[in-house]
């Protein structure tokens, strides 16, 4: 398409150039013929129809322009030849045959020129003179027309050359621009076959192609990350569901063998069903929060009395382990627009997690700030290894040291989902063997 368009544009441009050249030559023909005809007509009038004197002017004009370049003919009203100056009888004969058509310009072809056999082109202008005589002036335009044909040949050859070169350049450019797309198509087919690690190498193409490749690599990375997380999530959920199902199966087998009473089976089924439902409900709630499906009404809360209530609620389990639960709250109000129940879930999960991992007679400190609206929960204890911190907010993830404790690894994932639903973020820092701090920034 580019090749044809380029050729068409050049052809149109060449046609305009050729028309301009032709127009220039035609105007030059007419101007030259008019000049000679007007001069001879003026001399004819000055000679007073004296043919001898006018014949002298004829010869001088021919000598001035050359006998091979100019042809003069004077005919009477009846068509008889009065004066003739020409080196080519064929040209004069054809001029005489057209003598009856006065005041016009026409073109004729005859044999002549240097080789005496080559075709000759002559432009003829006819002018009516006083007394009914007709003056015919012929101008040899063979060289001019040959020049026009040469220009036309050059334009056609150039057009053909440009079309061929344009085709080659077009194919080269097309391959250059489509090569990255071909690589992307190949990579997409690899992804379709299950190879999600494929990436496009850095390209030296133009900026738009480089941006497209970068977006493609980013998309591939996100797909691979999502699928990896989904696989890990599935494996962890299967692992956590296997334990209550194993207990249910064991209780049912004991009941079948008559070893355990029916009441124990019902109690076990109820407990394990609650565990599985809690896990499934929390997983569903995290997903709904992350994708904004669970839209809850909001209200403006003063976080100072809110945290006071939360600390009173968790003071009993802290006292059971002899843990010092301290609050550092601002003197003035700290307003935040949120859903109270969701905020209770977030703060409660962090406090429950802190108390659970704090050893007996340890401490838990809660700090609230107004600008920005944020809170920290710091607890003493074994802490978290630096290599484990990036995973603490993943679903079902639990450190090796915490697998013996009760829980399913979903609490902190829910905390992260709720914080981000309010445009905030949550982070964790830890000094192994000393303290662990969870900080939540609410925007």
């Amino acid at each position: 398409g580019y090749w044809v368009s380029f050729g068409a544009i050049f052809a149109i441009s060449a046609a305009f150039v050729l028309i301009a050249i032709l127009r220039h030559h035609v105007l030059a023909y007419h101007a030259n013929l008019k000049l000679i005809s007007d001069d001879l007509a003026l001399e004819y009038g000055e000679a007073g129809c004296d043919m001898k004197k006018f014949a002298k002017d004829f010869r001088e004009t021919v000598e001035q322009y050359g006998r091979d370049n100019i042809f003069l003919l004077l005919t009477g009203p009846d068509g008889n030849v009065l004066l003739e100056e020409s080196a080519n009888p064929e040209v004069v004969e054809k001029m005489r045959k057209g003598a009856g058509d006065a005041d016009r310009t026409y073109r004729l072809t005859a044999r002549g020129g240097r080789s005496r056999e080559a075709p000759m082109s002559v432009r003829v202008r006819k002018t009516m003179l006083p007394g009914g005589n007709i003056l015919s002036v012929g101008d040899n335009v063979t060289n001019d027309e040959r020049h026009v044909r040469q220009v036309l040949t050059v334009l056609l050859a150039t057009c053909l050359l440009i079309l061929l070169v344009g085709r080659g350049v077009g194919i080269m450019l097309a391959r250059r621009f489509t090569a990255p797309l071909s690589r992307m198509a190949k990579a997409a087919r690899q992804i379709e076959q299950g190879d999600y690690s494929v990436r496009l190498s850095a390209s030296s193409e133009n900026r738009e192609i480089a941006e497209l490749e970068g977006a493609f690599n980013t998309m591939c990375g996100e797909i691979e990350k999502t699928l990896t997380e989904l696989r890990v999530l599935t494996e962890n959920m299967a692992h956590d569901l296997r334990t209550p199902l194993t207990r249910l199966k064991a209780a049912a087998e004991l009941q079948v063998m008559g070893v355990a009473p029916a009441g124990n089976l019902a109690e076990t089924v109820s407990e394990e069903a609650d565990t599985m439902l809690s896990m499934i409900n929390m997983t569903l709630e995290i997903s709904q929060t992350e994708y904004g499906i669970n839209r809850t009404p909001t209200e403006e809360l003063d976080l100072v009395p809110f945290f006071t209530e939360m600390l009173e609620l968790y003071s009993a389990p802290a006292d059971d382990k002899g843990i010092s639960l301290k609050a550092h709250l601002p003197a003035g109000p700290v307003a935040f627009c949120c859903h109270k129940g969701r905020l209770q879930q977030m703060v409660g999960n962090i406090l429950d997690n802190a108390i659970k991992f704090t050893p007996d007679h340890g401490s838990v400190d809660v700090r609230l700030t107004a600008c920005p609206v944020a809170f920290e929960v710091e607890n003493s204890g074994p802490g978290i290894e630096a290599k484990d911190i990036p995973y603490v907010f993943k679903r079902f993830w639990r450190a090796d040291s915490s697998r013996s404790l009760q829980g399913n690894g979903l609490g902190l994932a829910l905390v992260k989902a709720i914080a981000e639903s309010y445009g905030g973020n949550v982070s964790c820092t830890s000094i192994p063997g000393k303290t662990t701090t969870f900080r939540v920034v609410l925007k």
Side-chain angles (χ1 to χ4, degrees):
Y2 285 117
W3 174 37
V4 174
S5 300
F6 184 73
I9 291 173
F10 181 81
I12 294 172
S13 302
F16 277 111
V17 171
L18 184 61
I19 291 171
I21 294 174
L22 288 173
R23 185 173 182 273
H24 170 75
H25 281 283
V26 169
L27 291 177
Y29 301 158
H30 285 276
N32 190 47
L33 286 171
K34 186 177 186 304
L35 176 64
I36 298 173
S37 298
D38 291 347
D39 286 344
L40 289 174
L42 181 62
E43 291 170 357
Y44 179 82
E46 291 176 351
C49 299
D50 185 348
M51 292 300 168
K52 290 183 178 181
K53 185 178 180 181
F54 189 55
K56 181 182 177 182
D57 295 333
F58 251 44
R59 286 191 296 273
E60 289 177 353
T61 302
V62 170
E63 289 173 0
Q64 178 183 354
Y65 290 96
R67 296 185 64 82
D68 290 332
N69 297 324
I70 200 74
F71 310 96
L72 302 179
L73 179 66
L74 181 64
T75 58
D78 55 357
N80 59 317
V81 177
L82 302 177
L83 289 174
E84 172 189 340
E85 287 292 336
S86 172
N88 192 315
E90 184 180 352
V91 173
V92 174
E93 179 63 21
K94 291 187 176 183
M95 290 171 62
R96 187 185 64 79
K97 290 181 179 179
D101 300 324
D103 291 334
R104 75 185 186 95
T105 302
Y106 63 93
R107 178 182 179 275
L108 62 84
T109 304
R111 292 288 175 178
R114 294 179 181 178
S115 65
R116 298 302 175 183
E117 295 295 334
M120 175 190 296
S121 298
V122 179
R123 289 278 178 174
V124 181
R125 179 182 177 87
K126 295 196 171 187
T127 306
M128 291 294 295
L129 297 176
N133 294 335
I134 299 175
L135 174 65
S136 299
V137 179
D139 185 13
N140 186 356
V141 295
T142 305
N143 291 334
D144 294 308
E145 291 191 353
R146 184 183 299 115
H147 175 65
V148 171
R149 287 194 295 270
Q150 289 173 348
V151 171
L152 177 60
T153 302
V154 171
L155 288 176
L156 291 176
T158 306
C159 183
L160 180 61
L161 178 62
I162 288 180
L163 284 176
L164 293 176
V165 174
R167 180 176 183 273
V169 173
I171 291 174
M172 182 185 69
L173 291 176
R175 288 179 178 175
R176 178 182 178 186
F177 286 119
T178 58
L181 302 180
S182 299
R183 292 199 299 269
M184 290 182 195
K186 181 180 178 182
R189 286 192 292 271
Q190 289 180 259
I191 293 174
E192 182 182 6
Q193 295 171 1
D195 183 8
Y196 299 100
S197 62
V198 63
R199 298 291 186 276
L200 294 176
S201 57
S203 174
S204 60
E205 307 292 340
N206 58 55
R207 179 174 57 86
E208 290 78 8
I209 296 295
E211 288 179 356
L212 181 59
E213 290 177 337
F216 184 87
N217 286 337
T218 301
M219 179 190 69
C220 291
E222 291 298 323
I223 291 175
E224 185 178 20
K225 177 183 176 183
T226 301
L227 291 175
T228 301
E229 291 179 351
L230 180 61
R231 184 173 60 254
V232 172
L233 175 63
T234 304
E235 292 173 354
N236 289 337
M237 180 172 283
H239 177 271
D240 286 347
L241 287 176
R242 184 173 57 184
T243 300
L245 289 174
T246 301
R247 292 175 183 169
L248 286 175
K249 185 175 182 298
E253 289 175 349
L254 291 175
Q255 175 62 31
V256 170
M257 291 186 296
V259 177
N264 289 348
L265 176 61
E267 184 178 351
T268 302
V269 169
S270 178
E271 291 177 355
E272 301 303 335
D274 287 342
T275 300
M276 289 187 288
L277 281 174
S278 175
M279 184 187 309
I280 293 171
N281 288 336
M282 187 169 289
T283 302
L284 181 61
E285 188 172 358
I286 292 173
S287 298
Q288 290 176 336
T289 302
E290 287 179 341
Y291 292 102
I293 298 174
N294 191 2
R295 302 292 183 182
T296 52
T298 58
E299 58 180 309
E300 186 173 295
L301 292 179
D302 184 356
L303 297 185
V304 174
F306 171 81
F307 270 90
T308 302
E309 294 175 4
M310 292 297 297
L311 291 173
E312 290 177 357
L313 182 64
Y314 282 89
S315 61
D319 291 341
D320 292 341
K321 297 180 64 176
I323 295 173
S324 172
L325 187 59
K326 298 179 182 178
H328 306 273
L329 305 177
V334 178
F336 184 68
C337 189
C338 63
H339 182 264
K340 185 176 182 179
R342 305 303 296 277
L343 194 62
Q344 286 174 337
Q345 281 182 297
M346 179 173 61
V347 177
N349 279 330
I350 295 180
L351 288 174
D352 182 72
N353 204 61
I355 293 172
K356 181 168 62 177
F357 287 98
T358 301
D360 293 349
H361 308 294
S363 63
V364 175
D365 292 333
V366 179
R367 289 181 285 271
L368 175 66
T369 60
C371 188
V373 178
F375 70 90
E376 292 180 349
V377 177
E378 178 184 289
N379 67 287
S380 60
I384 303 173
E385 297 292 335
K387 63 181 180 64
D388 293 333
I389 288 180
Y391 305 100
V392 295
F393 298 105
K394 300 290 184 181
R395 300 184 195 185
F396 296 103
W397 185 88
R398 286 187 289 174
D400 295 335
S401 59
S402 65
R403 292 193 178 274
S404 59
L405 299 176
Q406 185 180 3
N408 49 33
L410 291 173
L412 292 179
L414 181 60
V415 168
K416 180 175 181 291
I418 295 175
E420 291 180 349
S421 70
Y422 288 114
N425 61 80
V426 59
S427 60
C428 173
T429 57
S430 181
I431 303 175
K434 292 186 178 180
T435 60
T436 299
T437 303
F438 284 90
R439 175 176 172 82
V440 178
V441 178
L442 302 172
K443 295 184 179 180

